[in-house]
Amino acid sequence: MLSSVLVTIGAYLIGSLSFAVIVSRAMGLSDPRTYGSGNPGATNVLRSGSKPAAIVTLLLDAAKGWLPVMLVKWFGPAWDLSEGAQALAGLAAFLGHLYPVFFAFKGGKGVATAVGVLLAFEPLLALATLVTFAIIVFFSRYVSLASMVAAVFAPAYYLIGDGVAWTASGAKTLALIAMGLLLIWRHRENIRRLLAGTESKLGARKK
């Protein structure tokens, strides 16, 4: 029990590293919380005009979701940590991104970090979810819509693949559902804009 608690706390602290802010400061850019959507994530960092900063932010945000789970996979058996601990680590890292203790609990929407968690859970699951995301973006040009659709499909894919591509665990299923619901909740403003027809499309120029 103590090991699981320590894993959860450690994963949350790793997730609380807001790389959008850290990378922007390191590269001499404005704080992403002060422009655009105000969201400390790779998409908003891209609005600064620095593609390298956005790419680095994206990769690091994904890595902080991947690393805690993988550490449990690699070293957990020696401490009697199982699938449940992996699920806790992934969810805690995701929550850290959404509500980072180091940044006044004001974080991003969690898309990249969620992908990192999926990659650590099952690489094929991450691939299937990313393909779904890409298809929705291609046809709709709405990144927010694609993110939410992918969030719904991720736990569905996980259950569908049980016994075929992997062996599903109840803990990871619950973690995926929780992350999906939280991700959709964090996109609530995007949902309002989608319904109003004012959501920005990928590649569209602002008037």
Side-chain angles (χ1 to χ4, degrees):
M1 178 63 73
L2 178 59
S3 296
S4 294
V5 171
L6 292 176
V7 163
T8 302
I9 293 173
Y12 170 75
L13 293 176
I14 291 173
S16 290
L17 296 172
S18 185
F19 286 113
V21 178
I22 295 171
V23 171
S24 293
R25 288 178 181 173
M27 298 182 70
L29 303 173
S30 299
D31 190 320
R33 297 170 295 182
T34 64
Y35 60 82
S37 65
N39 178 61
T43 300
N44 206 39
V45 171
L46 184 61
R47 295 188 175 100
S48 71
S50 176
K51 289 183 179 180
I55 292 171
V56 172
T57 298
L58 179 69
L59 293 176
L60 289 176
D61 277 349
K64 72 182 184 183
W66 175 83
L67 183 60
V69 179
M70 292 307 300
L71 287 175
V72 176
K73 278 191 172 185
W74 292 331
F75 305 108
W79 299 89
D80 295 323
L81 295 173
S82 59
E83 298 273 337
Q86 294 176 32
L88 283 173
L91 181 58
F94 181 76
L95 286 171
H97 180 81
L98 267 56
Y99 307 104
V101 66
F102 304 126
F103 296 87
F105 301 101
K106 296 178 180 179
K109 295 178 180 178
V111 177
T113 303
V115 171
V117 174
L118 293 180
L119 185 62
F121 279 3
E122 297 292 345
L124 287 177
L125 173 63
L127 177 61
T129 304
L130 285 172
V131 168
T132 300
F133 173 87
I135 290 172
I136 300 300
V137 167
F138 180 80
F139 285 105
S140 73
R141 314 305 295 176
Y142 290 121
V143 174
S144 58
L145 177 62
S147 299
M148 290 185 283
V149 171
V152 171
F153 273 82
Y157 287 148
Y158 185 64
L159 291 174
I160 291 171
D162 182 30
V164 180
W166 51 72
T167 300
S169 78
K172 286 183 177 178
T173 300
L174 291 175
L176 290 170
I177 292 172
M179 287 192 296
L181 291 174
L182 284 166
L183 192 147
I184 291 171
W185 169 251
R186 297 290 285 190
H187 280 81
R188 58 192 182 279
E189 291 300 326
N190 301 87
I191 294 173
R192 294 190 183 100
R193 290 195 293 270
L194 284 167
L195 293 174
T198 58
E199 178 74 333
S200 298
K201 288 189 175 183
L202 184 65
R205 293 184 178 180
K206 291 186 177 180
K207 298 180 180 179

